[in-house]
Amino acid sequence: MMELTRKGEYAIRGIVYLAGKQPDKVCLLSDIAEAVDVPPTFLAKIFQQFSKIGLVKSYRGTGGGFMLGRAPEQITLLEVVEAVEGPILPNRCLAVPTDCERSCSCNVHPVWQRVQGEVRQVLGGVSLKDLVNEQ
Amino acid sequence: MMELTRKGEYAIRGIVYLAGKQPDKVCLLSDIAEAVDVPPTFLAKIFQQFSKIGLVKSYRGTGGGFMLGRAPEQITLLEVVEAVEGPILPNRCLAVPTDCERSCSCNVHPVWQRVQGEVRQVLGGVSLKDLVNEQ
DNA sequence: TACTAAAAAGACTGTTTATATCCTTTTAGG
DNA sequence: CCTAAAAGGATATAAACAGTCTTTTTAGTA
Ligand code: SF4
Ligand code: SF4
């Protein structure tokens, strides 16, 4: 259970690759896709989502491409994952407004809140800077 | 992301209900299903899975039904969830044998291992005894 | 201005998983 | 033998996933 989708996996690969380039280097989507082994059309959709929320900056036309929207140490894995997968919700009752009428009396509910908190903490504690392979 | 399916949610509701009954009380599937508001045919499939691994004991024929396979404090939420949802795998590279050839050099891989560990720790630390509503 | 490069946007498709339901078979008690 | 109950298997529908294709917009350049 709890599996990241391909989309999430591809998203991470793509943006980590960008984070490994020198700042202000504009990268072609096609180059990124090839480097991280992701279908280019699929990665395009992912980067469009990134672009909308400012995780990456995009430039159209000749000489265009993508670059990171902020410094790598300012972008967490949590942001990247939630950008494409939506919020971390181990169970539906954590959505607001909660859609389970049992949530008040339910002893399981707080367990899922703890799970959510732990996952968010782990992912939130890792930045893109931590993820690039420096050598 | 990481959402528990209906099946998992129903599984928990059903077995927690069982755990709230006095030990050695045999419960009808139809009664459990009604009490926890789950489609009876669906809950049947879930309890069949439980039965196979001994989480519950089943009795067929007249006077049959289900009872808990072990004491409530001996069954963790982790076991219940993994029984019906499979192992907790935040990313495919945590499966054995790992199916990502990048896993050796990948900095993201250990993050997913930590996520997996945290989730398992939380769920493993909660027993059915903790989940029944005592009053 | 026309041409070209590149991302954005939207429609569409095939596959897989989720969410069940139904029917038949097995088991056990009375 | 009849009935109650779980087990097993087949089927159905809907949603999500994974990806493709085509057209449009934007921007640089000859
Ligand atoms: S864990 Fe409790 S509150 Fe959450 S969906 Fe299940 S019953 Fe409802
Ligand atoms: S996190 Fe790393 S090892 Fe895991 S699937 Fe992605 S690239 Fe492979």
Side-chain angles (χ1 to χ4, degrees), chain A residues 91-94 98-112, chain B residues 4 9-10 12-13 36:
Chain A
N91 202 352
R92 47 179 35 68
C93 53
L94 298 183
T98 181
D99 66 347
C100 180
E101 73 288 345
R102 298 163 170 260
S103 56
C104 307
S105 63
C106 176
N107 293 333
V108 190
H109 186 74
V111 177
W112 294 122
Chain B
L4 193 72
E9 166 68 21
Y10 294 165
I12 296 169
R13 284 198 217 168
V36 300

Side-chain angles (χ1 to χ4, degrees), chain A residues 3 15 18-19 21 23-24 30 41-42 50 54 59 63 69-70 86-87 90-91 97 101 114-115 118 125-126 128 130:
Chain A
E3 260 186 67
I15 203 167
L18 257 195
K21 296 288 157 182
D24 296 12
S30 53
T41 58
F42 200 174
F50 283 161
Y59 302 93
R70 307 201 296 273
N91 202 352
E101 73 288 345
R114 284 180 51 205
V115 169
E118 295 290 339
V126 177
L128 293 190
D130 304 322

